[in-house]
Amino acid sequence: MNWNGITVGYALTGSHCTLEEVMPQIQRFKDGGANVVPIVSSTIMTTDTRFGTSENWQKQLKDITGNDIISTIVEAEPLGPSKLLDVLVIAPCTGNTTSKLANAMTDSPVLMAAKAQMRNCRPLVLAISTNDGLGLNAANIAKLLVTKNIYFVPYGQDNPQQKPNSLVAKMNLIPEACYAALEGKQLQPMIVEYS
């Protein structure tokens, strides 16, 4: 895919188990010529987990994108007036972020970036990763499905036997979903069998 001349906002929230899976997708944007602006929630900036240290994830983001990380609400706010981002993807997008976005809450850099993108009527792409996508968060996902300029990376049940409410996006489809969103289209099929 040719991303020359396109600025992609790439926002990450605290689904730490999927961070390793999304880093190659950021590289795909860069390899295609995109300017990638990394935006992270405070969890990414402060939390070490069995999936890696905060320092490691920050280093990878800076190395891949060549840009400084937007990690505060104050840093994210100018994204609105500047109209910097052609497309913004939140990947992974946790249930917490999904619920706050659906209910117009803006208490993190990622949510401020999303608000800025929606203000500008530009595409916002969500790659959900939540254990309650078919539980309490189902209502929030439904609200976002019918919201103008919001698109989804195709998703499915990643473990229906042991976690029947869990939904996770097919992270390898992030660039394709963003490309479609730039054309005002939802990548189809949106609900996929997860394997």
Side-chain angles (χ1 to χ4, degrees):
M1 269 177 226
N2 183 355
W3 292 94
N4 287 323
I6 302 293
T7 297
V8 176
Y10 201 106
L12 299 97
T13 64
S15 178
H16 295 273
C17 59
T18 57
L19 295 181
E20 186 173 344
E21 198 176 345
V22 300
M23 290 297 167
Q25 307 315 314
I26 301 171
Q27 187 67 58
R28 286 178 65 197
F29 284 117
K30 282 300 291 181
D31 291 347
N35 174 35
V36 180
V37 177
I39 306 155
V40 299
S41 67
S42 61
T43 305
I44 302 297
M45 292 300 290
T46 61
T47 307
D48 296 340
T49 72
R50 63 189 170 103
F51 301 105
T53 65
S54 169
E55 183 180 358
N56 175 56
W57 296 122
Q58 290 177 55
K59 182 178 185 315
Q60 283 190 55
L61 278 173
K62 288 180 186 176
D63 288 349
I64 294 170
T65 66
N67 287 320
D68 289 332
I69 297 170
I70 293 175
S71 62
T72 68
I73 291 174
V74 171
E75 292 169 346
E77 192 278 333
L79 293 172
S82 70
K83 298 185 178 178
L84 176 66
L85 308 179
D86 295 298
V87 60
L88 171 63
V89 58
I90 304 176
C93 183
T94 61
N96 185 50
T97 298
T98 302
S99 66
K100 289 179 178 183
L101 182 61
N103 290 286
M105 295 176 69
T106 310
D107 65 354
S108 76
V110 170
L111 290 164
M112 178 56 80
K115 179 181 177 181
Q117 193 72 353
M118 293 172 75
R119 158 195 164 154
N120 293 329
C121 298
R122 292 187 174 180
L124 172 60
V125 179
L126 307 178
I128 58 174
S129 180
T130 174
N131 284 325
D132 70 337
L134 294 176
L136 287 174
N137 243 322
N140 296 314
I141 292 170
K143 281 172 83 172
L144 296 170
L145 281 171
V146 296
T147 302
K148 188 175 181 180
N149 298 317
I150 292 183
Y151 304 88
F152 284 78
V153 176
Y155 60 85
Q157 289 178 276
D158 58 305
N159 189 349
Q161 303 307 319
Q162 295 172 331
K163 298 190 299 178
N165 288 340
S166 181
L167 292 175
V168 177
K170 300 285 275 186
M171 300 302 175
N172 63 321
L173 294 177
I174 290 169
E176 289 80 0
C178 289
Y179 204 81
L182 281 167
E183 297 179 341
K185 298 175 184 174
Q186 169 62 54
L187 186 64
Q188 296 291 344
M190 186 180 67
I191 298 174
V192 296
E193 187 170 340
Y194 205 95
S195 56

